[in-house]
Amino acid sequence: MKGKVLIVGGGAMGTCIAMQVASRCDPLRDPVILIEKGRLGSGSSGRAGAIVHQSYSDREVAGMARDAVRLYHDIQSTTGRSLGLRRTGVLTVVDASDGEALAQMDKDLEMQLSIGIKVRRVDSAEIRQLCPGIEIADDTVGRFEAEGGYVNPAKAIKTFGVLARGRGATTRLGVQDLDIKVENGKVRGVHTSEGFFETPNVVLATGSWTATILKKMGVDLPLSVVRSEECVLDMPKGQAGDDHLSEFDGPVADIETRFKQDPLELMPVPHPVLLDLSSGFHAHCEPHTNQTRVGRSGHSAFRMVNDLANLDKQASPEFLDWAFEILGKRMPIYKDMGVSGSLAHYTAVSSDHRPIVGPVTGIEGLFMVVGFSGSDFHLAPSIGEGMAQMILGEPVSAFTPEFFSATRFES
Ligand SMILES: Cc1cc2nc3c(=O)[nH]c(=O)nc-3n(C[C@H](O)[C@H](O)[C@H](O)COP(=O)(O)OP(=O)(O)OC[C@H]3O[C@@H](n4cnc5c(N)ncnc54)[C@H](O)[C@@H]3O)c2cc1C
C-alpha cells in the first residue's frame, strides 16, 4: 500500500493528525494512512480524563488550549458529530497560605487574560456559589473558566477517526511489528505484520512507545514513561435539574448528535471540574457514567516505569486512600460516596515536561509527537492542525514549531 503520509498510533494525537492531513490531501493522488497496533484509543488517550482547560503557565501552550476549546466546539457544531464535550466550567482553588501557588496563579491569570482566555479571579464567596459544599477558608481565592470542562475521550477519538476516514484517510487496526525503512537518510516506508507501506512521511504518534521505537533507529531523546493513576467514586446527585438524569439514563455515549445539541451538554453536574492547587488534586464529575474521577496534579505525581510489557491498569491502594481522603477534606459530600473503581495508564514525559513535536533530526520524512505528560489530551486538535501544515510544507500557524522542537536538546 502506498501513501503520502503514514501516521503510526491511533490515540488523540494520531487521529487528529490523520483528520487534519486528510482534509488537505486528495485521497486518490496523496493517500493518508493511519496504522494502529491495537484499536483506536487503546493507549493512554482512551483512559484520559480529557479535561479541557486553559490554566497553563506557558503562553504558547495556553494559546493552544484557548484555540482547542473553540475547535472542540466547532468540530461538534460543524460536523454534527459528538465529542462528548461537557462545559461544566473549570474552577481552580488556592489557599491564601500557599503564597507561591497564589503568586503563580495570579501571574498566569494576567498572561491568560492578555491572550484572550475567558477566565476570572474568584473570591471565597463565589467559589462557594460555584462549588456548593466546598470546604474553604474565607481568604481562599481561585480562577474560573466557564468554557472549560471535558470531552468523552472514547467518543472524541471515535469522531476524529470517523472524520479522518470521511476525508479519505484509511485506518488499519491490529497492525504490529513496526519497522521503519530508511535509505540514505530518508524515510521509504514501514514494514509491518500487514505488509509494507510505502511512504515518504511517517509520523510517530505512539505515546509511551515512542522512545523505544526511536532508540531502535539510533535516536536517543530525554523521554521517560510514567504511570498516572485515578480514583473513581460514585458521583453525588446534581445540584439542579436532577430530572435530566432519568431522561438520559441509557446509551448516552452512543448518541450521534447530527447537529442537535449533544444530550451530554444538558446533564447536570454537582460541581465544576476542580483543580485544587494547594491539595494537589483534580476532580471531575461524569454524569454519563454517574462517576467522579480524582487524580493527583503536577509532575511530582508521576511514577517512572521501566517495563511497558506488563502494564497494571488499576491504581494502588495507597493512592486510592490518599485520593479519597484529600477529596473528602475539600468536598465533604464525598465522604458518603464509595470508591467504585480506579484506573491507571502510562504516558511519556520529556525531561523539561514540554512535548516534543516536529521532525526527527537526521531522518528526512520522520516526525514525532510525544511527551504530552498527563494533561495534554485537549491540545490534540491544535497539534493535528500544526503537524498537517508542517508535513505538507505550509506555514505552521497552529503552534510555534521552535517551542516544541527536539533541537532544544541538542547542544
Ligand atoms: C490516567 C490518565 C489521565 C489523564 N487525564 C488527562 C486529562 O484529564 N486531560 C488531558 O488533557 N490529558 C490527560 N491525560 C494525558 C493524555 O491521555 C495524553 O497526553 C494523550 O492522550 C496522549 O495521546 P497520544 O495519542 O500521544 O498517545 P496514546 O493515546 O498513548 O496513543 C498512542 C497509540 O499508539 C499506538 N502504538 C504504539 N506503538 C505502536 C506501533 N509500534 N505500531 C502501531 N501503533 C502503535 C498505541 O497502541 C496507542 O493507541 C491523562 C493520561 C492518563 C494516563
Side-chain angles (χ1 to χ4, degrees):
M1 197 169 182
K2 266 190 183 182
K4 163 97 174 166
V5 180
L6 181 122
I7 297 128
V8 189
M13 301 299 159
T15 51
C16 270
I17 296 168
M19 179 175 81
Q20 292 288 352
V21 180
S23 68
R24 292 165 162 82
C25 288
D26 177 334
L28 294 178
R29 215 182 42 226
D30 295 321
V32 176
I33 307 163
L34 181 150
I35 60 170
E36 160 59 51
K37 66 179 176 154
R39 53 184 172 73
L40 297 186
S42 52
S44 79
S45 298
R47 306 206 119 208
I51 295 170
V52 176
H53 68 95
Q54 304 159 88
S55 59
Y56 284 96
S57 301
D58 265 324
R59 189 188 172 89
E60 176 73 24
V61 188
M64 290 168 73
R66 174 203 57 204
D67 297 345
V69 166
R70 288 162 203 172
L71 278 167
Y72 279 124
H73 181 256
D74 288 353
I75 289 171
Q76 289 200 152
S77 56
T78 56
T79 68
R81 293 196 178 266
S82 173
L83 303 168
L85 176 66
R86 182 68 175 90
R87 281 175 290 186
T88 60
V90 176
L91 175 66
T92 306
V93 292
V94 192
D95 293 333
S97 56
D98 201 348
E100 207 179 312
L102 191 54
Q104 185 66 50
M105 188 193 78
D106 280 335
K107 197 171 152 215
D108 294 349
L109 250 172
E110 202 181 316
M111 176 275 290
Q112 290 156 7
L113 285 166
S114 77
I115 61 169
I117 290 176
K118 291 181 192 146
V119 59
R120 64 177 190 273
R121 199 177 200 270
V122 286
D123 61 13
S124 57
E126 200 174 349
I127 292 173
R128 290 188 182 110
Q129 217 174 7
L130 289 164
C131 195
I134 193 168
E135 195 68 45
I136 47 166
D138 288 342
D139 54 2
T140 301
V141 291
R143 66 183 283 292
F144 183 67
E145 46 174 294
E147 289 178 316
Y150 59 85
V151 293
N152 176 335
K155 209 168 197 189
I157 291 164
K158 185 176 163 196
T159 291
F160 297 148
V162 166
L163 293 175
R165 284 191 296 276
R167 294 165 189 184
T170 302
T171 50
R172 299 281 295 269
L173 309 182
V175 181
Q176 312 264 341
D177 306 332
L178 180 81
D179 184 13
I180 301 171
K181 186 176 169 196
V182 179
E183 263 175 21
N184 302 323
K186 286 186 184 170
V187 167
R188 296 293 177 203
V190 302
H191 292 284
T192 72
S193 58
E194 304 300 306
F196 185 65
F197 293 84
E198 188 182 333
T199 178
N201 296 299
V202 170
V203 186
L204 292 175
T206 39
S208 310
W209 295 268
T210 312
T212 313
I213 296 170
L214 287 172
K215 229 173 223 156
K216 234 175 88 182
M217 303 179 71
V219 179
D220 207 358
L221 284 171
L223 283 166
S224 314
V225 177
V226 294
R227 175 181 157 86
S228 172
E229 300 174 309
E230 288 196 353
C231 172
V232 181
L233 291 101
D234 296 336
M235 190 183 87
K237 279 273 177 227
Q239 297 298 305
D242 258 9
D243 37 34
H244 282 309
L245 282 174
S246 56
E247 199 179 320
F248 298 117
D249 268 347
V252 168
D254 293 330
I255 288 174
E256 281 283 2
T257 62
R258 302 283 180 202
F259 298 99
K260 285 190 227 122
Q261 190 170 17
D262 187 333
L264 283 173
E265 286 275 354
L266 304 170
M267 296 171 81
V269 285
H271 59 79
V273 173
L274 191 57
L275 306 179
D276 189 326
L277 297 187
S278 296
S279 306
F281 76 86
H282 54 85
H284 76 280
C285 304
E286 294 183 340
H288 59 289
T289 58
N290 262 324
Q291 290 177 326
T292 297
R293 291 172 60 162
V294 194
R296 210 191 287 259
S297 307
H299 297 125
S300 60
F302 295 144
R303 304 282 170 270
M304 295 289 174
V305 175
N306 296 317
D307 181 10
L308 263 175
N310 300 302
L311 305 182
D312 180 359
K313 298 202 172 160
Q314 301 303 318
S316 65
E318 298 75 39
F319 172 80
L320 294 180
D321 288 348
W322 174 85
F324 186 65
E325 198 187 320
I326 203 91
L327 180 64
K329 257 191 207 155
R330 192 59 101 185
M331 296 285 293
I333 193 168
Y334 282 99
K335 286 184 180 159
D336 300 330
M337 299 292 145
V339 172
S340 55
S342 77
L343 43 118
H345 215 281
Y346 298 82
T347 185
V349 289
S350 70
S351 56
D352 61 4
H353 298 136
R354 197 193 299 169
I356 310 176
V357 177
V360 175
T361 309
I363 305 179
E364 197 181 319
L366 185 60
F367 299 85
M368 65 195 147
V369 294
V370 63
F372 293 99
S373 308
S375 64
D376 296 336
F377 182 104
H378 59 293
L379 301 184
S382 303
I383 294 286
E385 191 179 1
M387 283 308 295
Q389 294 169 330
M390 186 184 289
I391 296 163
L392 301 175
E394 297 171 14
V396 179
S397 59
F399 55 76
T400 307
E402 297 74 35
F403 183 80
F404 293 116
S405 170
T407 53
R408 69 185 188 270
F409 300 112
E410 292 164 11
S411 48

